[in-house]
Amino acid sequence: MLGIPALMIDKNKAVGDNWRKRYSQLVLHDPVWYDHMPYIPFPDTWPIFTPKDKLGDWFESYAKSLELNVWTQAELVKSSWDEKAKVWTVEIKRIRPDGQSETRTLSPKHLIIATGHSGKAYMPSIPGMDSFKGDVICHSGDFPGAQESGKGKKAVVIGACNSSMDICQDYVEKGYDVTMVQRSSTFVISSQSSLKVALGVLYEEVSPPVEDSDIFVWGMPSPVLKSLQVDITTIAGQLDKEILNGLEKAGFKVDTGPSGAGIFGKYLQRGGGYYIDVGGSGLIIDGKVKVKHGQEVEQILPTGLKLADGTVLEADEVVFATGYDNMRTTAKSILGQELPDKVGDIWGWDEEGEMRTIWTNSGHPGLWFHGGNLAMCRYYSRLVALQILVKVKGLEHA
């Protein structure tokens, strides 16, 4: 939209497949009014919480409607930076629309890693992994969905945030005996409190234009935003008192986020560690999902797993909802080279209260990192584009 030619490459066969391929229970936990895309907002008839396949279809139609330059079934296989010419040389291998394979060499001045703010799936290496005789052992990102008839089967899910809760809910609905292993505490907020307290007024059915709300939120200095989130978290905690007390009674440990700043604090600092409750809490409170807190998995057994305290959990299926590494790991695999030391960890607040490395100067010329939830991508994509425009036009010192 700023007049700079841009090409997006995607490994998948179609735009949106990154969402379509995920577990069947996946639905956005943020409301539609918070998730609007730039230039083309969701229709008024859109559901409040978007199912994954519907979102994938929307992304595909969005790219077509805006005539974005996209190569699917494409992968960056080689890259190098010319410090003197200030330009990248990248080789992209792709399958053309006619089905033929080709490798193209391009010379962009700027390269943007927009693979999500997390890196590779974190799958811990645990003794005995190869010995497991059950049906499924995988990371949550590869979870195929619970079998339609799970009666008589046992599932163990390692982790206690959004993905884990969704997967446990899927298992319960299919009749499995389910145990969640919660290694550390989780921030929990009900969907209702998220709608009315955390996002209410600014992002709801009747609210200011989303661009105005974005400026109100992201125009605040980080300390002010944190302070406001502490107040919001306190109010939400009072409204959710029954749920939170029920979880604690069931052995599930909750917290209030970094410095009491709740879900915004957790997301901006860690990129995880929270759950927006859409039914999973009730399953724990009612005993339909059993909880084992504060334990690491010590060993995988042929028919289950052993925890650090010696507890043995039988399992036909084991899912590791253990999150993802820092975004640097993805960048290394994409670029095929070690990142310079000046490109530090990505995401989380730095000592000045700004987000580290993402949406700004990465420390390496011509290299940018972009990611976050839909709301952050909507706002910060424009700022990243403006920074690149300044450099392309040679206006840095104007």
Side-chain angles (χ1 to χ4, degrees):
M1 293 298 183
L2 296 179
I4 301 173
L7 172 68
M8 178 171 67
I9 65 171
D10 189 334
K11 282 185 179 181
N12 291 301
K13 190 172 183 179
V15 173
D17 279 356
N18 193 45
W19 284 88
R20 297 186 188 100
K21 291 179 177 180
R22 296 176 184 268
Y23 58 88
S24 60
Q25 288 287 103
L26 182 57
V27 175
L28 292 187
H29 291 192
D30 292 325
V32 61
W33 310 293
Y34 184 59
D35 290 335
H36 283 305
M37 303 284 285
Y39 307 107
I40 306 179
F42 291 108
D44 292 339
T45 55
W46 203 260
I48 295 177
F49 302 105
T50 309
K52 69 177 185 69
D53 291 340
K54 193 173 182 69
L55 184 64
D57 291 345
W58 177 260
F59 283 161
E60 188 170 20
S61 65
Y62 181 88
K64 290 178 179 178
S65 296
L66 289 178
E67 298 182 303
L68 303 181
N69 294 322
V70 184
W71 285 355
T72 53
Q73 300 184 87
E75 183 177 0
L76 193 154
V77 294
K78 187 177 181 181
S79 68
S80 62
W81 170 255
D82 187 326
E83 180 64 32
K84 185 176 181 180
K86 303 295 183 184
V87 67
W88 290 93
T89 298
V90 296
E91 289 186 12
I92 300 173
K93 185 177 181 180
R94 69 162 183 154
I95 305 296
R96 299 188 320 215
D98 62 7
Q100 298 298 310
S101 176
E102 70 172 3
T103 299
R104 298 282 298 274
T105 300
L106 305 177
S107 301
K109 293 182 178 179
H110 296 271
L111 189 62
I112 305 167
I113 308 296
T115 51
H117 80 262
S118 298
K120 292 182 178 179
Y122 174 66
M123 187 73 170
S125 178
I126 299 172
M129 293 278 271
D130 295 337
S131 71
F132 187 66
K133 304 295 185 183
D135 300 324
V136 174
I137 183 166
C138 68
H139 188 272
S140 58
D142 299 316
F143 179 60
Q147 299 178 36
E148 284 302 319
S149 180
K151 290 186 177 180
K153 291 184 176 293
K154 295 183 177 182
V156 175
V157 182
I158 317 299
C161 299
N162 276 341
S163 295
S164 173
M165 289 285 201
D166 285 350
I167 292 169
C168 286
Q169 192 166 349
D170 187 17
Y171 276 133
V172 170
E173 291 174 359
K174 303 295 171 53
Y176 285 72
D177 179 295
V178 187
T179 300
M180 174 190 293
V181 177
Q182 184 193 32
R183 297 166 301 158
S184 58
S185 60
T186 307
F187 175 76
V188 177
I189 184 172
S190 69
S191 180
Q192 183 176 6
S193 291
S194 176
L195 286 172
K196 297 302 181 183
V197 180
L199 300 176
V201 179
L202 292 177
Y203 302 103
E204 56 185 359
E205 191 167 11
V206 180
S207 61
V210 70
E211 293 82 5
D212 292 350
S213 295
D214 285 348
I215 291 174
F216 180 85
V217 173
W218 301 115
M220 296 183 193
S222 293
V224 177
L225 178 62
K226 290 181 191 177
S227 178
L228 180 61
Q229 292 303 314
V230 170
D231 294 338
I232 289 173
T233 301
T234 300
I235 296 170
Q238 293 169 349
L239 295 176
D240 293 337
K241 187 175 181 179
E242 184 176 350
I243 294 173
L244 300 178
N245 288 344
L247 287 170
E248 289 278 0
K249 188 176 180 180
F252 184 97
K253 303 301 180 183
V254 299
D255 61 45
T256 58
S259 304
I263 190 167
F264 264 68
K266 275 278 179 104
Y267 188 72
L268 290 171
Q269 180 168 304
R270 287 183 46 191
Y274 60 87
Y275 173 54
I276 302 175
D277 183 24
V278 291
S281 294
L283 298 178
I284 292 174
I285 293 169
D286 294 341
K288 294 179 180 178
V289 174
K290 298 183 286 293
V291 176
K292 186 70 177 175
H293 173 76
Q295 296 295 319
E296 295 289 347
V297 179
E298 186 175 86
Q299 183 181 0
I300 300 295
L301 306 173
T303 58
L305 52 86
K306 181 181 178 181
L307 301 180
D309 67 353
T311 301
V312 174
L313 300 176
E314 294 184 359
D316 298 288
E317 300 186 19
V318 178
V319 180
F320 287 84
T322 44
Y324 296 82
D325 291 332
N326 191 271
M327 195 177 181
R328 282 176 58 93
T329 59
T330 307
K332 287 180 181 179
S333 65
I334 290 174
L335 297 176
Q337 60 186 2
E338 287 294 316
L339 291 176
D341 292 339
K342 55 188 175 183
V343 178
D345 282 345
I346 303 162
W347 204 256
W349 285 299
D350 64 17
E351 62 278 2
E352 294 183 353
E354 301 294 337
M355 294 299 288
R356 295 182 300 187
T357 310
I358 198 162
W359 309 319
T360 187
N361 184 348
S362 70
H364 184 293
L367 181 63
W368 304 82
F369 293 89
H370 181 60
N373 63 23
L374 288 175
M376 293 177 186
C377 286
R378 174 184 62 240
Y379 179 75
Y380 282 103
S381 60
R382 186 174 299 171
L383 297 188
V384 171
L386 283 170
Q387 291 174 81
I388 291 175
L389 177 66
V390 166
K391 292 183 179 299
V392 169
K393 297 292 186 181
L395 301 175
E396 295 102 314
H397 307 294

